[in-house]
Amino acid sequence: MPPGPAAPTPSSLKRSTLLTLCACVLVAQGMVAAVNLLVPQLSSSGLHPSSGQLLWTVDAYVIVFAGLLIPAGALGDRYGRKGALLGGLGLFAAGAAVSATAAVPAALIAGRGLSGAGAALILPATMSILMRVAPPQDRPRAVASWTLAAGLGGLVGNVAGGLAGQYLSWRALFWAIVPVAALLALAVARTAPRTDRTVGQRAPSLDPLGTLLLTGGLLALLFGIIESPLYGWTSPRILAAFATGALLAALFLAHALRSRAPLFDPRVFASPRLRAATLGTAASFFGLFSLFYVNSQYLQYEKGFGAARAGLAIVPLTLGMVLVPRLAARWKGSPRVPAGGGLLLIGLGLLGASTADASTPYAGYACWLLVISAGTGLCMPTLTLNVVGSLPPHQAGLGSGLSTSAREVGAALGVAVTGTALAAHTSDGFAGGMEAALRVVALIVIAAAALVTLGYGRSAPRT
């Protein structure tokens, strides 16, 4: 295939381009959370889904999304990032239309999976375009905006799901995605430039065998993590999923080390900073999605909030994501301060949130949300930039796929661990289970903060 036209030397990042790409990220990430608030309405709908089908309605999007991120990023780098983004928006809308018209649970689940495949194309392409278009001095701001959009996606998903769950039909949420995706595609066509395709020896290989092994391994791992609260961590089904994931991952590692053109070279993880940034990214979303999982249930079951009010009550979690990244930029020369410090704040905020019960005023609970929000705003731009920046610029889509895969695996693990802890403490009531779950998660995040700080410290340049 002949090379595409060379992109001009970056001089500035247009505001319209940044806003359009961030809007794509926000919508794709928002659909991870939105369906959680529709579960009560879906369970009583004419589809009559079983408990397992409800679980797959929520999880199909995440599993396909996370499983395809790395090969989708490589696809955009090789054949065109703008085309990958437009194709992803098309798949995203098509999946939403299938879900909206579903007459049986299987069609609803299939539509969710199709939208997840679209999201896997959207997120790496948006980051890759930003990294190719923005000049070096604008890249920290661009990555901070992209990260903010991903974080705000959780808020938008909660609010949209809550409003649909209380005032509209569940089908309305999926129907709304179709015109939204069409408008975003139009905006992308008008504002996003075509970047140069990576060709020749620098082009990321699609590596069909490596792609199959890595994607299969991720899918098996995510299946085991997400299904573990339902079947138990030691059930034969879950153990088989983990064993399959480990076997496929080992086969991918062996293949990539021998291949002349692997999907990505696992030797990049020899960098302590990349390992630390990847761990930190997974740990932050591990904590955040543990909170998302219990938050709506706590507010509805313990505080008596309606679905719409519960969705809006997460707003304090966004304030630090908006305000704190500017503060984090002051530590550009010492990234372990915002990376480790931000994770520590997330862990401490989760410990505080674990003390909430039915008698806790919402204002007191919201204060802990603000602590978690500040920690997220402090660490996420640094972590994202370090993962994406660890690979050459022509592989920015692959780096974004790696970063977002870490996010989604961390999120899935957070939900699974929290769901398991809640199930193990049913005799203590929801508040008791929430306390136990968030304390376990908080301690894991705090331990990750220490490891991330050490990882950055070993890789810091000597003065």
Side-chain angles (χ1 to χ4, degrees), residues 206-288:
L206 296 184
D207 185 13
L209 177 57
T211 297
L212 183 63
L213 292 172
L214 181 61
T215 302
L218 275 174
L219 291 176
L221 171 65
L222 287 165
F223 175 88
I225 291 172
I226 291 171
E227 296 282 278
S228 58
L230 183 64
Y231 295 101
W233 290 90
T234 58
S235 70
R237 179 182 303 209
I238 300 305
L239 292 177
F242 286 141
T244 300
L247 175 61
L248 292 175
L251 290 173
F252 169 78
L253 182 63
H255 165 75
L257 291 174
R258 292 196 307 266
S259 174
R260 293 183 179 180
L263 180 64
F264 80 93
D265 189 346
R267 282 176 285 244
V268 297
F269 284 104
S271 165
R273 178 164 295 192
L274 177 60
R275 292 199 304 269
T278 304
L279 172 63
T281 300
S284 63
F285 269 65
F286 174 77
L288 279 176

Side-chain angles (χ1 to χ4, degrees), residues 4-68:
T9 302
S11 57
S12 64
L13 176 61
K14 293 182 179 179
R15 183 181 296 271
S16 59
T17 302
L18 180 62
L19 290 176
T20 297
L21 296 177
C22 287
C24 293
V25 173
L26 185 148
V27 172
Q29 194 68 46
M31 285 304 288
V32 175
V35 176
N36 285 306
L37 283 88
L38 295 179
V39 167
Q41 192 182 105
L42 282 168
S43 64
S44 59
S45 71
L47 295 183
H48 304 296
S50 66
S51 59
Q53 288 168 331
L54 280 173
L55 184 66
W56 274 103
T57 299
V58 175
D59 293 341
Y61 183 88
V62 179
I63 289 177
V64 177
F65 181 17
L68 294 179

Side-chain angles (χ1 to χ4, degrees), residues 148-358:
L148 172 63
L152 290 179
L155 166 68
V156 172
N158 275 279
V159 171
L163 291 173
Q166 187 160 343
Y167 299 116
L168 302 170
S169 163
W170 61 268
R171 296 182 190 272
L173 178 66
F174 294 110
W175 276 127
I177 291 298
V178 178
V180 168
L183 289 173
L184 287 175
L186 179 62
V188 167
R190 292 177 63 88
T191 65
R194 287 194 179 275
T195 60
D196 57 311
R197 288 174 290 174
T198 307
V199 297
Q201 293 183 344
R202 297 196 312 164
S205 170
L206 296 184
D207 185 13
L209 177 57
T211 297
L212 183 63
L213 292 172
L214 181 61
T215 302
L218 275 174
L219 291 176
L221 171 65
L222 287 165
F223 175 88
I225 291 172
I226 291 171
E227 296 282 278
S228 58
L230 183 64
Y231 295 101
W233 290 90
T234 58
S235 70
R237 179 182 303 209
I238 300 305
L239 292 177
F242 286 141
T244 300
L247 175 61
L248 292 175
L251 290 173
F252 169 78
L253 182 63
H255 165 75
L257 291 174
R258 292 196 307 266
S259 174
R260 293 183 179 180
L263 180 64
F264 80 93
D265 189 346
R267 282 176 285 244
V268 297
F269 284 104
S271 165
R273 178 164 295 192
L274 177 60
R275 292 199 304 269
T278 304
L279 172 63
T281 300
S284 63
F285 269 65
F286 174 77
L288 279 176
F289 273 76
S290 296
L291 177 69
F292 284 150
Y293 186 77
V294 299
N295 174 73
S296 62
Q297 297 178 70
Y298 165 71
L299 292 173
Q300 292 182 79
Y301 299 156
E302 298 293 318
K303 303 297 293 179
F305 287 18
R309 188 181 176 192
L312 290 169
I314 200 71
V315 167
L317 196 61
T318 67
L319 296 179
M321 296 181 192
V322 174
L323 300 175
V324 175
R326 293 186 179 182
L327 175 64
R330 297 182 180 181
W331 284 293
K332 288 189 293 185
S334 181
R336 65 176 174 170
V337 175
L343 284 170
L344 180 61
L345 283 177
I346 293 173
L348 294 176
L350 289 169
L351 279 178
S354 73
T355 64
D357 56 25

Side-chain angles (χ1 to χ4, degrees), residues 358-372:
S359 64
T360 302
Y362 170 73
Y365 178 68
C367 287
W368 295 117
L369 297 184
L370 288 172
V371 173
I372 296 169

